[in-house]
Amino acid sequence: MIFLKKYRIRKAYAHLQKSERQRKGTIKPVTIEKAHFIQVTVSVETEESYNEILNLIGTLKSLGKEVQVAMFFSTKKIPSYVNINEISDDLFLFTKKQTESVFKNPHSLLKHFTESQSDILLNLCSPSLLISSQATVYSNSKFRVATTDSSNYYGDLLVICDPLTPISTRFQLIKDTLSIFKNH
């Protein structure tokens, strides 16, 4: 059984590499300040990281940005600290049980998230998850930025940082890095 799972993972990454090479369109770098619609993929491990991402969403919305977030939990069920009644329409929650089926058809799970055309996609998953890599590759975003290790990187810009870095620090690193595109 483990052999089949490893085989499926290798096939999924091979398919991702092929899809990334075949990606068409122009890259349009944009800063956080100039972007109107921002998509974020993030892996949530603890209640602290969940609260961190909610604060980040609140900050971006207070700046007048439209934000769409895909949260990936490492548990089989959504944790008890997540209040389902307070979840907005632009927040997608995925559990480990849901994302284990991505080997068969990742498009069905990520369809609504990847079909949206955003100005920028921020992949804050660190270390990189297969499902977040699939969201990055299949995204219709104009510019894709990630904070992952360089071994499984997909997107237009990579900001390398320690995998244990908090989400807010990773976001600040991206924001500072994108500031070089201020005049473009």
Side-chain angles (χ1 to χ4, degrees):
M1 190 71 168
I2 292 174
F3 174 74
L4 288 175
K5 186 174 182 177
K6 287 182 180 180
Y7 174 75
R8 288 180 182 156
I9 290 172
R10 280 194 310 244
K11 289 292 279 184
Y13 276 114
H15 182 70
L16 278 179
Q17 290 171 350
K18 180 180 177 185
S19 297
E20 182 70 13
R21 283 191 306 270
Q22 293 175 347
R23 184 176 166 98
K24 295 179 181 173
T26 58
I27 298 172
K28 296 182 181 176
V30 65
T31 62
I32 300 294
E33 291 79 18
K34 290 184 179 180
H36 298 291
F37 181 31
I38 300 171
Q39 287 183 311
V40 180
T41 58
V42 64
S43 57
V44 179
E45 303 296 327
T46 63
E47 187 174 358
E48 291 173 353
S49 60
Y50 176 73
N51 291 332
E52 239 183 317
I53 193 65
L54 289 181
N55 289 337
L56 176 68
I57 294 168
T59 302
L60 290 172
K61 285 186 176 182
S62 69
L63 295 173
K65 310 297 181 195
E66 183 181 347
V67 182
Q68 192 176 53
V69 180
M71 283 189 193
F72 304 107
F73 294 94
S74 60
T75 56
K76 290 188 177 186
K77 293 183 179 180
I78 294 179
S80 60
Y81 54 80
V82 177
N83 189 351
I84 300 297
N85 298 329
E86 295 178 0
I87 300 299
S88 61
D89 293 338
D90 55 359
L91 191 64
F92 302 101
L93 307 177
F94 300 99
T95 62
K96 184 177 182 179
K97 186 175 182 178
Q98 289 174 305
T99 58
E100 284 178 347
S101 65
V102 300
F103 307 117
K104 296 176 186 171
N105 188 3
H107 300 289
S108 63
L109 187 64
L110 299 168
K111 185 176 183 177
H112 186 67
F113 186 77
T114 57
E115 284 182 346
S116 303
Q117 180 141 9
S118 64
D119 296 320
I120 190 167
L121 172 86
L122 306 175
N123 184 354
L124 298 175
C125 294
S126 189
S128 181
L129 300 172
L130 175 60
I131 188 76
S132 69
S133 297
Q134 288 172 329
T136 302
V137 169
Y138 301 129
S139 170
N140 284 329
S141 183
K142 296 175 187 172
F143 193 59
R144 303 166 302 157
V145 183
T147 58
T148 61
D149 54 351
S150 58
S151 61
N152 293 325
Y153 165 66
Y154 302 96
D156 303 318
L157 179 67
L158 174 65
V159 179
I160 298 176
C161 65
D162 183 22
L164 301 176
T165 307
I167 293 169
S168 58
T169 306
R170 282 185 259 154
F171 175 74
Q172 191 60 42
L173 284 169
I174 288 176
K175 190 175 178 181
D176 294 342
T177 305
L178 289 176
S179 67
I180 62 172
F181 299 115
K182 190 180 344 181
N183 297 324
H184 296 297

